[in-house]
Amino acid sequence: MAWNTNLRGRLPITCLILQVIMVVLFGVFVRYDIQADAHWWLEKKRKNISSDVENEFYYRYPSFQDVHAMVFVGFGFLMTFLQRYGFSAVGFNFLLAAFGIQWALLMQGWFHYFEEGHIVLSVENIIQADFCVASSCVAFGAVLGKVSPMQLLIMTFFQVTLFAVNEFILLNLIEAKDAGGSMTIHTFGAYFGLTVTWILYRKNLEQSKQRQSSVYHSDLFAMIGTLFLWIYWPSFNSASSFHGDAQHRAALNTYLSLAASVLTTVAVSSIIHKKGKLDMVHIQNATLAGGVGVGTAAEMMLTPYGALIVGFFCGIFSTLGFAYLSPFLESRLRIQDTCGIHNLHGIPGIIGGIVGAVTAAYSSPDVYGEPGIVHSFGFGGYKSDWTKRMQGKSQIFGLLLSLAMALVGGIIVGFILKLPVWGQAADENCFEDSVYWEVHEEVNAVYIPENLVHKHSTLASTMPVVLSTASTSIIPPVPPTPPVSLVTPVPSAALVH
């Protein structure tokens, strides 16, 4: 089926309307937190704070910078592996993230930061908004190359809404712990995206199969995204943790788990290849699985060797998923997962949720200390009779809730996006930038080397042939002229001395 992909009227109107709505809602509801307000000096005086260094900004902003780079650079470049979809991978990721963080600030603000009729805005809010948008970037990977920017905006709107609801229930009502978002970010984002792409199944996608592969330079660009994500992931998992030991421990656990996943990914990738070579798809993706898998238990007393074990198994399962599970999902279950988010975020996210539940259920005062276990899991007060086994059950309920919200929400949103009014491309035009972008073709000059047999030919005979990749026209060389002697003839008499 051929749909109208001209978005000249629809996309600008949609973007402008959404932005005007954001301006109005921010004007009505959002105000600066006291630590970002000009009255901060009064607050310092009232609380006897001696230095501005105690402002939350100086604790949180370094982590925010890292998380922000992951969302816009890491996820964006990770999806540039498609040979003809680099503009869309980076550009559409930029678009959905820029809209998503505004809507997330409002949705999460109403649930978590609503005071006296207003949302108080601080650096902590923008970190949480980036977490929310990271989940949208994960889901984007499943539908990459098959949806229009209009569909992405609609999908982001609903996913951010569902994310905020799921996060509130999981963290505030069920009171599960999920520092690095294995459940709320990765599991929810992955299975939401997989459900959407299942509903949007394209039976004739084989017609654009040739553009689903990568080329040398596109894989290199994607590897840039991998390195950004890998380097900054310890900040991602520790950004929302309590200052002190919890944040310190989360960064260390993530660091170790990521390192272990690299070695096991390389090992498994080489083992399953007939000639022992490495697959760049595995290195770009499965090496990050350790960061996903350790997310829920990142701030718990997982122990250093425990973090290595988590990364070890996440690297194995993720690599095997890319090699064997992705083809099965597409051929048998009609799930066309472009980026393989099931293997990078889905499976490791579930592993992370289970690891968090087991670690919480077997926590003990001998490991944490009595005050430590109360501080880490929030025991005390109305939770004075709360046991570690109850906390473990809470973790499992959180994982199941994230899966249920993702599946139900993905089905509903999938049917909304299936309407043929959003400017989506036809099956034969998927994974192609030129559908939505102005693409300027490169012109390369191809030079024919000098013909040594006719070395005495004139300069005209060696004029280069220019091949234009844009028009594939060939400019032939000028026909050679008879050779002209450049030596002045000397009379024969002059040769006699």
Side-chain angles (χ1 to χ4, degrees), residues 161-239:
T161 304
L162 291 170
F163 178 96
V165 174
N166 179 61
E167 181 189 51
F168 177 76
I169 297 173
L170 190 146
L171 299 182
N172 293 79
L173 301 183
I174 298 178
E175 298 201 41
K177 299 295 180 181
D178 193 31
S182 293
M183 298 184 289
T184 55
I185 298 172
H186 302 287
T187 301
F188 174 78
Y191 288 98
F192 179 87
L194 290 169
T195 307
V196 169
T197 197
W198 177 61
I199 298 296
L200 298 180
Y201 175 75
R202 291 170 174 265
K203 61 180 179 180
N204 296 318
L205 196 61
E206 190 73 22
Q207 297 178 9
S208 55
K209 189 73 173 180
Q210 71 280 4
R211 288 191 296 274
Q212 294 186 49
S213 61
S214 62
V215 290
Y216 189 86
H217 70 269
S218 66
D219 269 334
L220 195 59
F221 273 110
M223 195 63 196
I224 294 173
T226 298
L227 293 176
F228 263 91
L229 292 169
W230 198 92
I231 291 169
Y232 290 136
W233 214 296
S235 294
F236 188 92
N237 282 356
S238 64

Side-chain angles (χ1 to χ4, degrees), residues 26 42 61 71 160 162 164 173 187 220 224-225 232 236 263 267 308 335 400 406 409 425 443 445 451 479-480:
F26 269 71
L42 290 174
Y61 193 75
V71 169
V160 167
L162 291 170
L173 301 183
T187 301
L220 195 59
I224 294 173
Y232 290 136
F236 188 92
L263 271 71
L308 290 174
I335 297 177
L400 296 177
V443 178
N451 190 337

Side-chain angles (χ1 to χ4, degrees), residues 47-77:
K47 292 187 176 181
N48 197 26
I49 297 174
S50 60
S51 173
D52 283 331
V53 175
E54 296 184 48
N55 192 297
E56 189 78 3
F57 174 86
Y58 297 100
Y59 290 99
R60 296 293 187 188
Y61 193 75
S63 295
F64 163 71
Q65 286 181 304
D66 294 351
V67 175
H68 212 48
M70 290 176 69
V71 169
F72 286 90
V73 181
F75 280 108
F77 274 90

Side-chain angles (χ1 to χ4, degrees), residues 251-283:
L252 294 176
N253 285 336
T254 306
Y255 182 85
L256 294 172
S257 184
L258 283 167
S261 65
V262 173
L263 271 71
T264 52
T265 297
V266 171
V268 176
S269 181
S270 177
I271 289 172
I272 62 180
H273 192 278
K274 294 180 180 179
K275 297 183 178 180
K277 295 183 178 181
L278 302 176
D279 190 327
M280 199 56 166
V281 173
H282 304 157
I283 307 305

Side-chain angles (χ1 to χ4, degrees), residues 360-409:
Y362 286 92
S363 59
S364 68
D366 294 336
V367 176
Y368 286 84
E370 196 65 44
I373 198 169
V374 171
H375 176 71
S376 297
F377 294 101
F379 297 165
Y382 73 94
K383 293 177 67 176
S384 57
D385 59 344
W386 197 266
T387 66
K388 57 186 181 181
R389 295 298 175 90
M390 292 172 66
Q391 185 63 44
K393 292 179 180 178
S394 175
Q395 299 295 134
I396 291 295
F397 289 155
L399 177 60
L400 296 177
L401 171 68
S402 294
L403 284 169
M405 291 284 285
L407 297 175
V408 175

